[in-house]
Amino acid sequence: MRTSFLATMAAVAFAVLALVHPQASAGQAFEVRISACNTMEHPQTLGLLVMKDYVEKHTGGAVQVHVFPNSQLGAELESVEQVQMGTLEMATASIAPIVTFQEKFSVLDIPFLFDSYLEAWAVLDSKAGTDLLDSLEEVGLYGLAFMENGYRHTTNNNRPITSLADFGGLKIRTMQSPLHIDNFKALGANPTPIPFSEVYMALSQRIADGQENPIANIWDLKLVEVQKYTSLTGHIYDAMPLVTNLKWFKSLPGDYQEVIRTGAILGQNYSRFINAGREDMIIAKLRELGMEVNDLSAEAKNAIKDAAQPVVAEKVRKNIGAEYVDNFLKAIDQVRIDTAKSVDM
Ligand code: EAX
């Protein structure tokens, strides 16, 4: 009797110790389910697989990572909601749905914010980007990394977009985002929000003339079958933050948290490189399959920027405060200055 009481007390003490000593991970096992809306071939999903390998290897298999593509566990918004409620461990989502949870991310929805992928990555990896990820803690989430989605371009069935005027009256599918809708209204288009999983169907049934997405999605969704033109408008750079439930993540043993954080960054970088590296190849394949793909002149891009950027930026300033936006713009300037300095002889 007495022995068993002592044994119970010892077990309780051990359990309490394990709680207050997050390093004590021996013998504990965890399952991590990640919800993704993209296909298994999309760069961000491939990045998640890199993370899976790293995490499983460096925890000796104690943390098992399961990647669910194609919105199998729900669309982006619902998946992040599940993570917030603690019924799902992780999810990735584009900036637009993330804005629903933390409005500060809307600074990234300002059109033509970054001049290149390298610039976008440098800013997201600077304090400006990590501050954004940290701000998710205010809503019970923990931001692990910015998986890549890429520059968003416009496809449609009516005409190649070579100037601002070509957007006129086009019915364009957008994400369910007030800022994206404002952006396309400012361009003279007729934006129609439709869920990601219904894009192909909406285009094939002519519910919309066109849509906008990065090259990887244009390819994965087989839009070549239902769209004639891809115009490389590059109006918004889009990342897909990988988020987890703050409380759940912090309850993990400290060494596992560290492995997951490192794995997420490796996966993020992999998704960036594979996406940027594949885009020209995919464009060549789209052309082979009969799609007309056009670039835009600098003048046309400037006219598009001038029509949309002030409208969206003004709204973002109103929503999250001019100071936050200005500080973010300063961080972009700093990256530009540092880049220029690095080639000064
Ligand atoms: O890769 O367009 C969309 O709705 C998607 O969220 C996005 O681009 C995912």
Side-chain angles (χ1 to χ4, degrees), residues 32 34 36 39-57 65-69 92 147 242 263-264 266-268 270-271 274:
V32 179
I34 312 181
T39 67
M40 207 46 138
E41 292 76 35
H42 187 279
Q44 71 111 358
T45 330
L46 297 174
L48 293 175
L49 293 179
V50 167
M51 173 187 169
K52 169 186 166 70
D53 280 353
Y54 181 88
V55 170
E56 290 180 354
K57 188 169 163 210
V65 179
H66 310 283
V67 180
F68 293 89
T92 58
M147 307 303 288
L242 170 62
L266 287 174
Q268 163 201 283
Y270 184 81
S271 71
I274 198 141

Side-chain angles (χ1 to χ4, degrees), residues 2-224:
R2 197 180 159 81
T3 334
S4 105
F5 173 73
L6 280 179
T8 312
M9 287 311 286
V12 168
F14 183 79
V16 170
L17 271 178
L19 277 179
V20 293
H21 287 289
Q23 298 294 339
S25 54
Q28 300 185 64
F30 301 91
E31 301 280 326
V32 179
R33 293 162 301 154
I34 312 181
S35 172
C37 72
N38 303 104
T39 67
M40 207 46 138
E41 292 76 35
H42 187 279
Q44 71 111 358
T45 330
L46 297 174
L48 293 175
L49 293 179
V50 167
M51 173 187 169
K52 169 186 166 70
D53 280 353
Y54 181 88
V55 170
E56 290 180 354
K57 188 169 163 210
H58 289 267
T59 60
V63 179
Q64 289 290 314
V65 179
H66 310 283
V67 180
F68 293 89
N70 301 319
S71 308
Q72 278 168 28
L73 298 184
E76 294 166 282
L77 199 78
E78 290 90 71
S79 295
V80 178
E81 255 164 24
Q82 285 185 49
V83 171
Q84 200 179 31
M85 290 186 308
T87 52
L88 176 68
E89 291 76 35
M90 289 186 198
T92 58
S94 304
I95 296 303
I98 291 289
V99 167
T100 314
F101 299 87
Q102 172 51 277
E103 226 174 0
K104 286 174 184 157
F105 277 77
S106 63
V107 72
L108 298 174
D109 267 338
I110 296 176
F112 300 98
L113 191 63
F114 301 114
D115 286 344
S116 68
Y117 277 140
L118 286 177
E119 190 177 289
W121 301 340
V123 174
L124 293 184
D125 296 346
S126 75
K127 189 173 177 300
T130 45
D131 280 353
L132 262 182
L133 289 180
D134 289 348
S135 72
L136 288 168
E137 297 194 17
E138 293 164 20
V139 293
L141 295 168
Y142 184 84
L144 285 162
F146 288 100
M147 307 303 288
E148 187 73 321
N149 204 18
Y151 269 106
R152 301 184 76 92
H153 302 295
T154 314
T155 68
N156 85 99
N157 254 332
N158 296 21
R159 53 184 170 264
I161 294 166
T162 59
S163 69
L164 172 61
D166 288 327
F167 276 107
L170 277 186
K171 208 167 177 193
I172 298 282
R173 174 274 167 178
T174 65
M175 286 192 266
Q176 283 136 314
S177 150
L179 291 173
H180 283 230
I181 291 170
D182 285 350
N183 175 57
F184 282 93
K185 277 191 185 153
L187 299 179
N190 179 5
T192 312
I194 294 172
F196 184 62
S197 54
E198 290 164 31
V199 170
Y200 182 96
M201 197 252 321
L203 295 170
S204 65
Q205 294 182 1
R206 290 264 183 184
I207 292 168
D209 302 315
Q211 63 82 49
E212 52 87 51
N213 247 297
I215 293 293
N217 283 338
I218 294 172
W219 178 255
D220 285 354
L221 296 180
K222 299 189 170 36
L223 297 192
V224 69

